[in-house]
Amino acid sequence: MSDARAQAPSASPRSRRASLAVLSSGLLMTIIDGNIVTVAMPAIQNDLGFSAPGLAWVVNAYLIAFGGLLLLAGRLGDLIGRKRMFVSGLAVFTAASVLCGVATDQGLLIAARAVQGVGGAMTSAVVLGMLVALFPEPREQAKAIAVFSAVGAAGGAIGTFLGGALTETLNWHWIFLINLPIGAVALVAAVRVLANDRGTGLAGGADYPGAVLITGALMLTVYTIVGSGERGTPATLALAALSLALYAAFAVRQTRTARPLLRLRVFRSRTLTGANVVQILMIAGMFGFQYIGALYFQRVLGYGELKTGFAFLPAPVAIGVLMLGLSARVIGRFGPYRSVLAGLVLITAGLALLGRLPADGSYAVDVLPAMLLLSAGFAAAMPAVTGLAMAGAREEDAGLASGLFNTTQVVGGSLGLAVLTTLAASRTEGLLADGGQTVAATADGYRLAFWVAAGVAAAGIALAATLLRPERGTTGTVTPTQEQEPEEKQEPVRIAP
């Protein structure tokens, strides 16, 4: 049992709340930065002279490094100490943000964004593991996860708002430079507030060949997904086949090495595996709303950057209010399984409503009701699916489970972005080729994307109903199903019944 786990029950409620605030602030900074670039992309393109394909690498460089390193960073956090990994990640992320802010050429900006992805992975990968150690009691843990999820959900929309506001009032450099004071404060607070933990030591579980294989596989997967719209089908299929080969080699390696990086038995937990699969589908749909919604506001309704940011504000407000006020109670009353199902139904309904957005749409009539449905659904589903994903993890694997959960978030977001934007663009180009008007054709492409996103969310409902259903005779509390070593007597991480 690690020191962090041992100290958590004896820590005062005040110190645990302070730790939760520090962990949430680190998450908020990385989530905001992952979204703040979206609205500023045209300004960056004009200033640095990016081509359209080249501009995509301002986002792709971050996503590839972030998604590829999450699993490795989570495991290293278990080995060297999660606080050390979290603090180091904050330092790397903040320094890279300054480099992004002072960049005056394309190469430096893309390289700095990749380093930001490294820091973001180091920070994000261990947060959930630290969280469940801080709050081992089921109901307190459910409340903490609700706060954590609310911060993460709000960060996306806040990033879009800040990106528009800073770009329009100052310039795009400030979307990165603003991380310097925030990161510095978070770094000092993390050093002072978070409990020290030593980890199990690198000699106790470092599988470096396996780390190379899985990191390469994840990076290639994200690269294949985010760049699929720029290359032909044969090249995409070839890259996908190479990714699968790397995953297969990694799996074989993990069954033969004495100290595996990823104990494959964690996937014997039906709830852990199911929660991660369901999350991929849920995030794919939600990320589609965020990205395509911003394009709809600007390209169809004619909004500027600042107005687009304001248009998204009801989402984080609604998510924050519902998660902080109701989510833990709903999960405690009805269980995580029913909460996930209800949330996915609301998300599907919201995306279906967006599937009817007209070219001359009204924000109050056509967009806001769907946005509120999506917010309510996400507020219900996300804390529950987070708890389920962590419930099957033993203490020494909590960092790994946290990294895995964050990895599936990136895969879901990347997959949703690649598929939905490609479908929307293809539909629009086809209509324009047939003589359609630009605005009407653009709106039609977005409608198709939202309908596909609704179908993806509906598939999530079916999978959740199958994979996350509690065993007959249980109350909904999830326990780990992995094999336990005879000498280990660790308490399972649980969520509220």
Side-chain angles (χ1 to χ4, degrees):
M1 183 179 297
S2 70
D3 291 347
R5 176 81 178 193
Q7 292 175 12
S10 61
S12 69
R14 182 177 179 180
S15 66
R16 284 188 289 160
R17 286 195 297 269
S19 297
L20 175 61
V22 171
L23 295 174
S24 298
S25 66
L27 172 74
L28 181 64
M29 188 170 67
T30 56
I31 293 293
I32 286 177
D33 196 83
N35 293 273
I36 201 171
V37 180
T38 304
V39 180
M41 293 286 270
I44 294 174
Q45 183 176 23
N46 292 335
D47 190 19
L48 299 185
F50 276 104
S51 64
L55 183 65
W57 282 99
V58 176
V59 175
N60 294 349
Y62 181 89
L63 285 177
I64 291 170
F66 184 80
L69 292 171
L70 277 167
L71 196 60
L72 176 60
R75 192 50 171 169
L76 287 177
D78 290 333
L79 300 178
I80 68 173
R82 293 169 201 152
K83 176 181 177 179
R84 184 179 300 175
M85 180 63 70
F86 181 82
V87 171
S88 299
L90 281 178
V92 171
F93 187 89
T94 303
S97 296
V98 175
L99 287 177
C100 289
V102 301
T104 56
D105 62 77
Q106 299 177 12
L108 178 57
L109 179 58
I110 291 173
R113 285 286 287 166
V115 178
Q116 264 194 319
V118 174
M122 295 169 66
T123 301
S124 302
V126 296
V127 171
L128 281 175
M130 299 173 76
L131 190 69
V132 296
L134 276 168
F135 298 91
E137 196 277 321
R139 294 191 181 278
E140 288 297 315
Q141 187 179 113
K143 293 177 182 178
I145 288 177
V147 172
F148 180 80
S149 300
V151 169
I158 292 173
T160 304
F161 169 73
L162 281 178
L166 291 172
T167 301
E168 191 163 307
T169 58
L170 296 171
N171 58 61
W172 66 264
H173 295 275
W174 283 96
I175 68 175
F176 300 112
L177 293 176
I178 195 173
N179 287 332
L180 178 57
I182 298 173
V185 172
L187 190 60
V188 172
V191 172
R192 298 187 61 181
V193 171
L194 298 180
N196 292 315
D197 63 307
R198 291 192 298 269
T200 58
L202 286 173
D207 173 26
Y208 297 111
V212 172
L213 287 170
I214 190 60
T215 301
L218 288 169
M219 283 187 168
L220 186 57
T221 298
V222 178
Y223 172 75
T224 302
I225 292 172
V226 299
S228 60
E230 302 171 18
R231 64 178 79 93
T233 300
T236 299
L237 291 177
L239 289 173
L242 181 56
S243 299
L244 291 175
L246 289 174
Y247 284 120
F250 172 74
V252 171
R253 168 74 186 177
Q254 298 313 286
T255 62
R256 296 180 177 179
T257 183
R259 296 187 177 95
L261 177 70
L262 172 61
R263 295 180 178 90
L264 298 182
R265 65 188 181 191
V266 300
F267 294 108
R268 295 177 186 172
S269 168
R270 179 168 56 87
T271 53
L272 183 149
T273 302
N276 278 280
V277 173
V278 168
Q279 180 185 223
I280 289 176
L281 300 178
M282 179 174 68
I283 295 297
M286 291 297 296
F287 201 82
F289 155 70
Q290 182 178 321
Y291 188 83
I292 294 178
L295 294 177
Y296 176 80
F297 289 143
Q298 295 186 58
R299 295 181 178 177
V300 177
L301 299 186
Y303 288 8
E305 292 94 341
L306 185 58
K307 191 173 182 180
T308 297
F310 274 114
F312 274 103
L313 275 183
V317 172
I319 290 172
V321 169
L322 292 173
M323 279 189 175
L324 298 179
L326 293 175
S327 290
R329 296 179 185 177
V330 170
I331 294 172
R333 173 66 178 85
F334 298 102
Y337 170 69
R338 293 186 180 90
S339 298
V340 171
L341 287 182
L344 287 171
V345 168
L346 292 174
I347 289 172
T348 302
L351 291 170
L353 275 181
L354 292 173
R356 50 169 292 280
L357 285 178
D360 58 347
S362 163
Y363 174 79
V365 174
D366 299 304
V367 180
L368 186 58
M371 185 182 294
L372 294 177
L373 277 176
L374 290 169
S375 301
F378 195 77
M382 191 61 189
V385 82
T386 302
L388 288 167
M390 294 301 296
R394 298 187 306 183
E395 162 57 18
E396 76 270 22
D397 291 329
L400 176 62
S402 175
L404 178 64
F405 188 71
N406 282 285
T407 300
T408 57
Q409 279 190 353
V410 175
V411 171
S414 301
L415 186 62
L417 178 63
V419 172
L420 298 179
T421 55
T422 299
L423 288 173
S426 298
R427 175 65 172 170
T428 298
E429 290 170 4
L431 292 173
L432 290 175
D434 292 337
Q437 295 184 344
T438 301
V439 173
T442 301
D444 198 279
Y446 296 156
R447 285 195 294 271
L448 173 62
F450 283 128
W451 276 116
V452 172
V456 170
I461 297 174
L463 283 175
T466 303
L467 298 175
L468 302 183
R469 181 185 297 276
E471 297 293 337
R472 188 179 301 276
T474 66
T475 61
T477 299
V478 181
T479 58
T481 60
Q482 300 100 309
E483 296 177 4
Q484 296 287 336
E485 302 295 339
E487 67 272 14
E488 293 176 335
K489 298 181 179 180
Q490 291 142 329
E491 290 295 323
V493 179
R494 297 176 182 269
I495 61 174

